[in-house]
Amino acid sequence: MDSPFTALFIGDVVGGRAVACVAAMLGELRLRYGADLVIVNAENAWEGKGPSKREADQLFAAGADVITTGNHVWENWKARPLLSSNPRVLRPLNYPPGNPGNGTVVVETPRGMAAVMQLQGRVFMPPIDCPFRAGLRAAEQLRQQTPLIIVDMHAEATAEKIALARYLDGKVTAVLGTHTHVQTNDAQILPNGTAFVTDVGMSGAFNSVIGMATEVALRRFLSQTAHKYALAEGDWRVNGAVITADASSGQAIQIETFCVRCPEPPSTA
């Protein structure tokens, strides 16, 4: 039997110091899990917004193969030329035509070609194009090149993530939820062979409210008015998931989530 395919997915990286933390640990994590493909969600990499070239370069140099983002990528204007110039930096596929970047990419791995797709939900989020229909069309097209397809489902609502995974069950290798920054305890293999977890969690300062400085988050909730976003510091961790799949069929064999502590990252100043 051929060796299985293994994908390592790192959850939403929050801030420049979290980028440094992930970059410092990525080689060790890749070796630990024997990963053929490494995907990093960097939606919040630059001051809580999408990555610029600097953060992307750090992550690629550390061993990332593909970077995914999300709705906050549009809040960093420096991310737009990055999306246009680097096909391995994805934004959600189902944004309307005319936006820069791509929602899918096929890359070469030691176990053959593998695809990464990113979709974005619409519940409690911008009313963009349908992720279900866009995802199914893309999966059918990608399967002509490879059965190994990892989907980043960037969404707010738990039910929408689960529904999308059920909809694509058997058509993709894994559907991994991002955006809410809290790792869930429901990693599983669906009936037709697709691995799923509602949210892989975040990578950054856990002495926080989902990456935000606690005092700022409290002011927002108590005053019910806007306050400037501020990144948190302390208790640095990396959250992620590891998916093992049959390389010939693309069906998932195993999924596990992890949360590892990382040393105090260097300053980004």
Side-chain angles (χ1 to χ4, degrees):
M1 179 180 174
D2 292 337
S3 298
F5 165 85
T6 301
L8 171 66
F9 189 103
I10 303 296
D12 304 42
V13 181
V14 185
R17 297 191 74 195
V19 171
C21 178
V22 169
M25 298 192 69
L26 208 51
E28 176 191 337
L29 290 170
R30 182 166 205 155
L31 187 63
R32 179 189 303 180
Y33 293 109
D36 301 300
L37 175 68
V38 175
I39 307 163
V40 179
N41 183 294
E43 177 196 31
N44 306 120
W46 179 80
E47 297 185 6
K49 310 299 190 297
S52 58
K53 186 175 183 300
R54 176 184 177 182
E55 291 79 35
D57 285 349
Q58 282 182 268
L59 293 169
F60 283 130
D65 297 301
V66 177
I67 292 173
T68 58
T69 59
N71 57 303
H72 293 306
V73 72
W74 310 111
E75 296 169 27
N76 178 8
W77 281 90
K78 293 181 180 179
R80 294 177 184 244
L82 177 64
L83 291 172
S84 298
S85 64
N86 194 327
R88 293 194 181 210
V89 181
L90 301 182
R91 49 79 166 171
L93 173 67
N94 53 313
Y95 270 92
N99 285 297
N102 303 292
T104 64
V105 68
V106 178
V107 298
E108 188 173 356
T109 81
R111 301 265 79 82
M113 306 304 288
V116 182
M117 180 196 314
Q118 183 163 36
L119 300 168
Q120 183 174 305
R122 299 187 292 183
V123 179
F124 310 126
M125 297 187 79
I128 56 176
D129 297 342
C130 177
F132 293 83
R133 292 181 175 86
L136 181 60
R137 285 194 301 268
E140 290 171 345
Q141 293 169 357
L142 291 169
R143 285 187 70 86
Q144 296 176 23
Q145 301 179 68
T146 176
L148 297 165
I149 305 171
I150 308 296
V151 180
D152 176 342
M153 177 53 168
H154 197 77
E156 194 79 54
T158 299
E160 189 175 23
K161 296 180 185 182
I162 296 171
L164 187 279
R166 296 280 180 182
Y167 187 66
L168 295 182
D169 183 21
K171 299 176 177 66
V172 300
T173 303
V175 174
L176 307 174
T178 61
H179 181 66
T180 56
H181 291 201
V182 178
Q183 189 176 93
T184 55
N185 191 30
D186 62 339
Q188 60 189 289
I189 308 293
L190 298 178
N192 294 316
T194 293
F196 172 70
V197 64
T198 298
D199 204 287
V200 297
M202 78 169 200
S203 298
F206 273 61
N207 179 26
S208 69
V209 177
I210 61 169
M212 183 189 296
T214 300
E215 60 273 17
V216 175
L218 288 175
R219 283 200 295 271
R220 287 185 171 197
F221 283 114
L222 290 170
S223 68
Q224 289 299 294
T225 55
H227 292 271
K228 181 176 172 54
Y229 185 95
L231 294 172
E233 296 285 335
D235 191 8
W236 300 92
R237 306 186 202 181
V238 174
N239 275 188
V242 180
I243 304 90
T244 305
D246 181 89
S248 58
S249 70
Q251 287 199 321
I253 299 168
Q254 182 179 353
I255 178 172
E256 64 174 293
T257 56
F258 63 84
C259 175
V260 295
R261 293 185 183 273
C262 54
E264 186 77 10
S267 172
T268 60

